[in-house]
Amino acid sequence: MFTKAALNIIEQAISDQGILASSEKKDNYARVWSRDSMMTGITGILIKNQMIIDGLEKSIKTLANHQAENGQIPSNVYGDKASYGTLVGRTDATIWWIIGACEYMIYTKDESLKETLKDKIYKAFSCLKTWEFNQRGLLYSPLGGNWADEYVTSGYVLYDNVLRYWALKNAAEVYQDEKLKSLAETTKKLIENNFRKNNSDEPKYHPTAYQKANEKPFLWASLNANGYDERFDLAGNALAILLGFDLDLDAFTQFLEKLSEEFQHWMLPVFYPIIFPKDADWNLLENNYSYDFKNEPYQFHNGGSWPIYLGWLCLGLKKRGYNEIPEKIVRQYEELLSEKGASFKEYYSTDKLIPSGTDQLCFSASGYLLMKI
């Protein structure tokens, strides 16, 4: 029942330029966003929906046509105008575009597009290389520099670096490039070596901070010059699991069970723990927004539950042979869609499970479809 509704949401958002974030004309959602259109398009590939796949092709070309001189891909495009970020640039926009373009070419075997995009893809990688800043292998993102653009993570962010690994791996396959393949493997090892406690003798990015960090059943959210942010980043961990990163999945799933018990539902928070006004990080939240403040406790990035990343989590866990938690998550989400409306809102508050944010969001519709694969 909800599968058809989810597909309708996405199909209504497909324009001549590509897949819009939402067909609802609110704020700036009626645009071709790199991360939204690529995730939705990849979902279309996974479920073999030709209309969505065609929308992905349009999105790839629209974003490529607005590539900046330094190789950066726009965060979003509207008409003939491109935005690369307002307060700061969006590192993940460039990476998602590479991932989506390569997923499309792997699926369609489109040799013409492969040649057309080759220079643009390598130029985008060149841009990402400059964002290391220290030439040591991990991508550095500014505060507000990715999808969680009003949140507190910055520096060597798990999510962005896992995405970069995916992009390198995909492009190495498309262009049969051994150098990119080697870079992908190096990036994966760097993440596994620096975002969790391990027995590796490899040198650490920040040895002092690493020694002080606490062991967790998940990969830490980010590393900065002032140490680790040991928060749970659901999106970064979900993608790492999907892509086969070395993680103790028994311990990880036990953590998810405890998290569910704490919140008394399976709409898990995208970041945890929640930041409250009394906490030191609150000052990083309260002025970091473009339209209005959304990050009250349990809301938006500050502990809100995002179906898109729950979808990637379910897909990743099932790929690794863990089916029980994905079944619980999709059952919970379907209950909420039945009880509180199936318009695929942006996120749910995790205290009262109130659907919030933008309506008819391709992000959320795609999340549901990913849960059902």
Side-chain angles (χ1 to χ4, degrees):
M1 176 175 68
F2 298 118
T3 298
K4 185 176 180 180
L7 289 170
N8 285 339
I9 292 288
I10 295 170
E11 288 170 2
Q12 289 169 14
I14 297 175
S15 70
D16 290 340
Q17 284 195 297
I19 306 169
L20 309 179
S22 171
S23 58
E24 188 180 58
K25 291 179 172 58
K26 176 187 176 186
D27 292 344
N28 53 6
Y29 285 84
R31 301 181 181 186
V32 176
W33 286 77
S34 177
R35 74 178 72 90
D36 298 59
S37 63
M38 295 302 109
M39 286 198 226
T40 302
I42 294 167
T43 303
I45 289 172
L46 291 170
I47 64 173
K48 296 181 171 58
N49 182 293
Q50 193 59 48
M51 187 173 181
I52 299 174
I53 294 168
D54 290 344
L56 172 60
E57 181 188 11
K58 293 176 185 175
S59 303
I60 291 164
K61 292 177 178 177
T62 293
L63 292 161
N65 288 339
H66 290 84
Q67 185 175 35
E69 187 177 346
N70 69 342
Q72 185 176 2
I73 294 296
S75 174
N76 64 79
V77 173
Y78 178 66
D80 59 355
K81 296 179 180 178
S83 170
Y84 302 87
T86 305
L87 298 177
V88 296
R90 306 286 183 245
T91 51
D92 63 335
T94 298
I95 316 172
W96 270 117
W97 176 79
I98 299 171
I99 294 167
C102 290
E103 289 286 343
Y104 176 84
M105 290 185 286
I106 291 166
Y107 179 76
T108 62
K109 299 179 173 59
D110 188 331
E111 291 296 321
S112 174
L113 189 63
K114 176 180 167 180
E115 288 308 309
T116 300
L117 293 184
K118 184 174 182 179
D119 287 347
K120 290 181 176 292
I121 285 173
Y122 278 81
K123 193 174 181 182
F125 276 124
S126 177
C127 176
L128 295 177
K129 179 65 177 174
T130 67
W131 290 345
E132 289 178 17
F133 295 113
N134 60 6
Q135 302 300 306
R136 291 180 65 198
L138 289 178
L139 189 71
Y140 192 96
S141 301
L143 185 72
N146 62 23
W147 86 271
D149 53 355
E150 297 179 9
Y151 197 58
V152 302
T153 47
S154 67
Y156 303 105
V157 177
L158 172 69
Y159 166 87
D160 296 311
N161 281 286
V162 169
L163 285 179
R164 190 186 187 192
Y165 161 73
W166 192 358
L168 287 164
K169 182 176 77 71
N170 274 9
E173 180 179 348
V174 170
Y175 293 105
Q176 295 296 295
D177 187 321
E178 288 298 318
K179 185 178 179 181
L180 289 183
K181 183 180 179 182
S182 177
L183 281 171
E185 292 167 356
T186 300
T187 301
K188 188 177 185 184
K189 288 176 184 175
L190 272 172
I191 295 167
E192 291 174 339
N193 190 43
N194 285 281
F195 285 85
R196 54 164 192 159
K197 289 289 186 180
N198 59 75
N199 298 320
S200 170
D201 294 328
E202 294 290 328
K204 309 301 179 188
Y205 241 64
H206 194 331
T208 303
Y210 185 85
Q211 291 301 320
K212 293 179 180 179
N214 296 297
E215 186 166 357
K216 301 284 185 180
F218 49 80
L219 299 170
W220 299 312
S222 63
L223 164 65
N224 222 317
N226 64 348
Y228 278 94
D229 182 338
E230 298 177 16
R231 250 177 284 264
F232 173 56
D233 170 4
L234 187 147
N237 278 274
L239 293 168
I241 290 168
L242 176 71
L243 294 166
F245 278 69
D246 186 14
L247 192 62
D248 183 343
L249 289 180
D250 288 337
F252 180 78
T253 51
Q254 287 168 19
F255 165 74
L256 295 184
E257 292 278 1
K258 290 178 182 176
L259 203 57
S260 171
E261 289 172 10
E262 178 180 337
F263 284 84
Q264 298 186 321
H265 57 72
W266 276 101
M267 298 301 288
L268 303 174
V270 76
F271 287 106
Y272 173 86
I274 312 298
I275 301 171
F276 294 94
K278 63 180 175 59
D279 296 326
D281 282 340
W282 184 259
N283 70 314
L284 296 176
L285 275 181
E286 58 184 348
N287 292 316
N288 184 13
Y289 62 89
S290 297
Y291 294 95
D292 52 75
F293 182 67
K294 302 173 185 176
N295 273 318
E296 296 290 349
Y298 305 102
Q299 307 287 329
F300 204 47
H301 304 131
N302 188 18
S305 181
W306 291 66
I308 179 60
Y309 292 116
L310 287 176
W312 287 118
L313 176 66
C314 290
L315 189 65
L317 287 173
K318 284 188 282 188
K319 186 177 180 181
R320 303 284 286 269
Y322 288 77
N323 296 308
E324 187 176 340
I325 286 177
E327 289 170 3
K328 292 176 180 178
I329 290 172
V330 73
R331 193 180 311 128
Q332 175 83 75
Y333 190 28
E334 287 178 339
E335 286 175 8
L336 289 174
L337 291 171
S338 294
E339 295 169 6
K340 301 187 177 182
S343 60
F344 293 94
K345 288 276 195 176
E346 193 168 18
Y347 69 95
Y348 287 80
S349 63
T350 47
D351 55 348
K352 298 179 181 178
L353 290 178
I354 296 171
S356 303
T358 302
D359 214 9
Q360 301 178 50
L361 204 70
C362 287
F363 243 17
S364 298
S366 298
Y368 178 71
L369 295 172
L370 290 170
M371 292 176 197
K372 298 293 284 184
I373 292 173

